[in-house]
Amino acid sequence: MAEIISLEGRTIVVTGAGQGIGHAVVKLGIALGANVVGVDLNADSLSAAMAELPKDRVMAVAGSVADSELATRAVGEAIERFGGVHGLVNNAGIIRPAMIEKMTDQQWRDVIDVHLSGSFYWTRAVGQHMVARAKNGDPTGGALVNISSDAGRKGSVGQINYAAAKAGLLGMTMTAAREWGRYNVRANSVCFGVVETPMTEVVRGEKFRDNMLAQIPLGRWSTPDEVVKTVCFLLSDAASYITGQHLGVNGGFHISL
C-alpha cells in the first residue's frame, strides 16, 4: 500500500525551526522525504537542531523572520540549492504578555512583527516563486501552512498582541487561498491549543494547570510530535483538495461549526 503522506522530492521552509513545534516539523519532514530549510533567530539552537539531520537535505538560515530581505534572500538560496520550494510552515513566534491597559507599544510591535509581518514576508517570498513556476507550466503547485492558535479565534487574556496576530493569520490564509488557488497553491491554518513547548510553560504551570485542563475534553496537553503530523498532512498531496481552511488541533479546547 502506498504511503498516504509523503513529502518525497519536496523542499519545505520552516520558520522557528530551532525548537518545539518547528523542530518537530523539520524532523518529520525529513522522515517523509523532504528537503528542509530551517529558519530561526537563535543560531546556536538552529545549529544544534540541524546537526542530527542529513546535511545534504537541510539548509539552516539564522536571522529574524521579520526581516523581509532575509526572506527574499533565503528563498532564493533554497531554490538555487534544491531546485525549488514546495512548502512553507510559518511557525516562528514569541509572546510579550500584558493586560491591554499596560501593554507598551514595543510589546505590541514585537509580537505583530514576528507572527504577522514575518509570516507575510515569507509567504510573499515563497508564493512569488510558486506562482512563477506555475506560469512557466509547472503543475506542482505548493502548500502554505500558517501556525495560528485558538487565541486567534476566542481571544486570550493578557495577550491582545498575540491573539490579534493569530487572528490576522487566519485572514492571510484565506486571502492566499483565494488569490493563488488558480496556480495550485494551497493555504491552510492550523490552530493549536496547548502544546508542550517553552512558550506554554506558564499556562501549564501549577497556577493555571487545573483550569486549563478542565477546558480540554481530551484532558491533556499535546506534544509537538503529535500535532505536527497534521502540519505535514497539509503540506502533502493527501490534502490536495483542502485550501483556505482553519484546522483545530487542540483536544477539543475550541469547538465550532
Side-chain angles (χ1 to χ4, degrees):
M1 180 178 177
E3 292 289 340
I4 295 175
I5 299 177
S6 173
L7 296 176
E8 194 72 36
R10 309 289 177 88
T11 296
I12 60 174
V13 176
V14 181
T15 68
Q19 64 176 356
I21 292 168
H23 186 208
V25 173
V26 169
K27 290 189 297 181
L28 184 54
I30 289 290
L32 292 172
N35 302 312
V36 178
V37 180
V39 185
D40 203 282
L41 180 63
N42 189 320
D44 292 338
S45 295
L46 181 62
S47 178
M50 294 295 189
E52 63 193 62
L53 303 172
K55 291 181 172 52
D56 61 327
R57 292 173 55 199
V58 297
M59 172 179 153
V61 178
S64 171
V65 295
D67 180 347
S68 63
E69 293 182 359
L70 175 68
T72 301
R73 184 171 66 252
V75 171
E77 292 173 357
I79 294 166
E80 183 175 349
R81 177 168 175 180
F82 296 118
V85 172
H86 310 90
L88 168 66
V89 181
N90 280 314
N91 166 73
I94 61 171
I95 54 173
R96 298 288 185 270
M99 300 300 281
I100 297 172
E101 70 275 14
K102 296 181 179 179
M103 183 167 289
T104 66
D105 291 354
Q106 191 63 52
Q107 287 173 314
W108 171 266
R109 283 194 298 267
D110 285 348
V111 171
I112 296 297
D113 284 351
V114 171
H115 288 271
L116 196 54
S117 297
S119 294
F120 167 70
Y121 298 146
W122 289 86
T123 295
R124 180 177 61 186
V126 169
Q128 286 172 339
H129 162 66
M130 291 177 175
V131 169
R133 201 171 64 222
K135 289 181 176 179
N136 287 328
D138 186 339
T140 305
L144 314 174
V145 180
N146 291 319
I147 305 302
S148 186
S149 169
D150 285 339
R153 301 199 284 190
K154 58 190 292 186
S156 181
V157 174
Q159 296 191 99
I160 191 173
N161 46 7
Y162 182 82
K166 290 305 191 182
L169 280 177
L170 304 182
M172 188 182 301
T173 296
M174 293 184 287
T175 301
R178 290 186 181 279
E179 289 193 10
W180 290 342
R182 73 189 72 178
Y183 304 112
N184 197 28
V185 175
R186 299 179 295 104
N188 293 287
S189 299
V190 177
C191 296
F192 292 141
V194 182
V195 185
E196 293 177 351
T197 68
M199 192 178 292
T200 64
E201 285 180 352
V202 173
V203 298
R204 290 186 290 111
E206 184 176 347
K207 182 177 180 180
F208 301 105
R209 175 185 174 85
D210 291 345
N211 180 57
M212 291 298 296
L213 286 173
Q215 298 177 60
I216 303 173
L218 289 185
R220 61 178 176 84
W221 322 124
S222 59
T223 66
D225 288 342
E226 181 177 27
V227 298
V228 300
K229 295 172 186 175
T230 302
V231 175
C232 288
F233 161 72
L234 290 171
L235 289 170
S236 76
D237 285 342
S240 60
Y241 201 59
I242 301 175
T243 194
Q245 304 304 307
H246 315 308
L247 185 57
V249 184
N250 55 26
F253 181 58
H254 176 75
I255 299 176
S256 64
L257 292 176

